[in-house]
Amino acid sequence: MSDSKSARSRIAATLRQIPPSGIREFFDIVSARKDIISLGIGEPDFVTPWHIREGSIFALERGATSYTSNRGSPRLREALTQYVAHAFGLTYASDDVLVTVGVSEALDLAVRAIVEPGDAVLYHEPCYVSYAPVITLAHGTPVPVATKRENDFRLNREMLESAVTARCKALILNFPTNPTGTTLERSDLEGIAAFAVEHDLVVVSDEIYSELTYEGERLSIAALPGMQERTIFLHGFSKAWAMTGFRVGYACGPSDLIAAMTKIHQYTMLCAPILSQEAALEALVNPEPHIAEMREAYRTRRNLIHRSLNDMGLPCHRPRGAFYAFPQIAHFGMSAKEFALRLLEEKRVACVPGSAFGESGAGFIRCSYATDIEEIKEAMARLADFVRGLNP
Ligand code: PLP
């Protein structure tokens, strides 16, 4: 091999500039340890309801082992149109629904369908770890808009106006938000919708936590006047249905955008796994009270963790959705990573440093309450003890 060739990296430059996920990095450390209470994982502690698992088992028994249509099984897409109409007031033709391998894939497809090299994409931060990397991998420029604790990490039109440039082509929204649990009022969403229209942006709305909304109106931006034609609505079964391992999600949107996303999906994924699609179908056609029961369990835990954190001197706004609390730790004069590592070492409690969710998450930690309530109580006792030790 010539010298010049051996000096060339085998790994694409775009990928080299992306750091590994801050959550994964932290959990590699955690998984090597025993006797730890983890408030770190963003995944339900509940097992998928039995009738949904049985739906998948029964499909396997019937010999459902084939591909489905690229867009997903027609019966599932039909059931999804009905669910989205009932739950969000959104009417889609079943051809404008694409079944994906989780919201993760749907997000990647949406961004790749829209972004050309040099285009910019707005999103609010702190945010889910994959938004910036997915934009970068599509050769776009991530434009984070910092949200603040003083304002419960809410986003509004003015904040977006001060960040937008002529290169911005899309806006990613995620309410309820991972990692802050923030939800928006109708008036905030109306302002954001007007901003998207004025700047001619496609809105990619990740509503994966929607069913886990504890108070306030559950409203999709796609349902506001004039927004459905410019919004890609993303949703999936991982969180509210406790189906992370099934890897099934979906996108609904304008025909041209869904067709463009389907083109990438058919060449890269072909289709979502048939047994997962069968499970999702069962979840929709035979809804049982499990979702409401799980939501009430999360609400009880949310109340406990929110009160405990504030009582021990970690200021925390009240999360209104998802299953995360995001208390401030900046006043202890150490980085979020140092705080999280010391908490792990000294008290064997795992939380995720807020900096994993973008620069504006520095000074916070994310505590997931998708954990058994007795474990949360014990974790709060240990955290309070840790905090007492830090105070002079
Ligand atoms: N979007 C958000 C905001 C998330 O928090 C997550 C998972 O944590 C995902 C998407 C990925 O979801 P899925 O399991 O459907 O790929």
Side-chain angles (χ1 to χ4, degrees):
M1 203 186 293
S2 75
D3 274 0
S4 65
K5 202 146 190 211
S6 64
R8 200 171 71 181
S9 172
R10 297 183 349 170
I11 310 299
T14 317
L15 188 56
R16 273 186 278 135
Q17 60 176 291
I18 296 175
S21 157
I23 300 187
R24 286 291 138 228
E25 187 190 14
F26 200 71
F27 276 89
D28 286 346
I29 304 172
V30 173
S31 59
R33 301 277 309 263
K34 297 218 166 22
D35 70 0
I36 280 173
I37 300 181
S38 178
L39 304 183
I41 306 289
E43 114 171 285
D45 56 320
F46 300 105
V47 175
T48 309
W50 170 243
H51 77 106
I52 299 176
R53 283 182 276 155
E54 202 177 32
S56 200
I57 294 168
F58 185 44
L60 187 59
E61 284 177 350
R62 290 197 317 271
T65 57
S66 61
Y67 294 133
T68 66
S69 120
N70 292 143
R71 285 169 189 256
S73 92
R75 285 181 65 210
L76 176 56
R77 281 187 286 128
E78 187 52 41
L80 286 168
T81 61
Q82 285 171 23
Y83 179 72
V84 169
H86 167 76
F88 298 93
L90 295 167
T91 308
Y92 290 99
S94 62
D95 273 355
D96 294 335
V97 177
L98 172 63
V99 179
T100 57
V101 179
V103 172
S104 304
E105 192 215 352
L107 178 78
D108 181 46
L109 297 178
V111 171
R112 281 204 276 163
I114 300 166
V115 171
E116 290 181 62
D119 288 341
V121 179
L122 292 154
Y123 56 95
H124 50 106
E125 207 199 64
C127 67
Y128 180 49
V129 291
S130 78
Y131 296 161
V134 160
I135 298 165
T136 305
L137 285 170
H139 304 282
T141 306
V143 183
V145 180
T147 58
K148 300 261 182 294
R149 187 181 76 83
E150 302 75 78
N151 192 23
D152 290 355
F153 296 98
R154 279 157 56 182
L155 178 71
N156 61 36
R157 182 178 184 160
E158 291 67 42
M159 295 158 80
L160 289 164
E161 290 289 3
S162 61
V164 72
T165 67
R167 301 303 317 232
C168 291
K169 200 167 176 195
L171 163 65
I172 301 177
L173 299 177
N174 170 226
F175 296 102
T177 309
N178 174 8
T180 59
T182 299
T183 62
L184 292 187
E185 300 296 332
R186 177 179 281 266
S187 56
D188 297 323
L189 275 180
E190 284 171 346
I192 295 168
F195 165 84
V197 171
E198 189 184 315
H199 295 275
D200 194 21
L201 303 176
V202 177
V203 174
V204 178
S205 189
D206 175 351
E207 307 199 23
I208 193 167
Y209 294 101
S210 178
E211 287 74 11
L212 303 178
T213 299
Y214 307 113
E215 49 258 328
E217 190 183 9
R218 231 182 93 199
L219 174 67
S220 171
I221 193 163
L224 293 178
M227 288 308 290
Q228 196 168 340
E229 66 207 48
R230 64 171 64 249
T231 303
I232 304 176
F233 170 89
L234 306 185
H235 203 348
F237 292 85
S238 288
K239 310 295 175 169
W241 285 266
M243 288 174 65
T244 46
F246 284 87
R247 310 306 304 123
V248 61
Y250 56 99
C252 308
S255 307
D256 58 333
L257 288 168
I258 294 297
M261 291 168 64
T262 305
K263 218 192 272 182
I264 308 171
H265 173 78
Q266 75 190 4
Y267 289 128
T268 53
M269 204 58 71
L270 217 154
C271 65
I274 189 168
L275 295 177
S276 302
Q277 294 194 45
E278 290 289 329
L281 181 64
E282 169 62 29
L284 294 179
V285 296
N286 290 319
E288 293 201 3
H290 300 107
I291 293 190
E293 285 164 15
M294 289 191 272
R295 180 174 55 236
E296 289 320 300
Y298 291 130
R299 185 200 300 276
T300 306
R301 299 169 186 184
R302 186 273 312 255
N303 293 344
L304 169 77
I305 205 164
H306 174 245
R307 198 177 47 243
S308 308
L309 290 167
N310 282 295
D311 284 353
M312 72 178 78
L314 298 187
C316 183
H317 70 288
R318 188 176 162 85
R320 289 159 58 98
F323 37 56
Y324 310 106
F326 203 62
Q328 191 160 29
I329 52 89
H331 47 297
F332 294 109
M334 62 178 106
S335 73
K337 192 164 176 184
E338 192 186 342
F339 186 98
L341 281 172
R342 279 190 56 186
L343 178 64
L344 185 64
E345 281 303 319
E346 295 173 30
K347 300 292 171 191
R348 300 179 317 285
V349 174
C351 299
V352 183
S355 41
F357 307 96
E359 256 175 49
S360 43
F364 297 85
I365 53 169
R366 188 189 76 173
C367 305
S368 162
Y369 48 90
T371 304
D372 177 77
I373 194 150
E374 293 308 318
E375 296 241 308
I376 295 176
K377 284 181 189 162
E378 175 60 23
M380 288 298 110
R382 293 186 192 183
L383 182 55
D385 210 30
F386 178 68
V387 167
R388 265 193 300 277
L390 297 176
N391 282 329

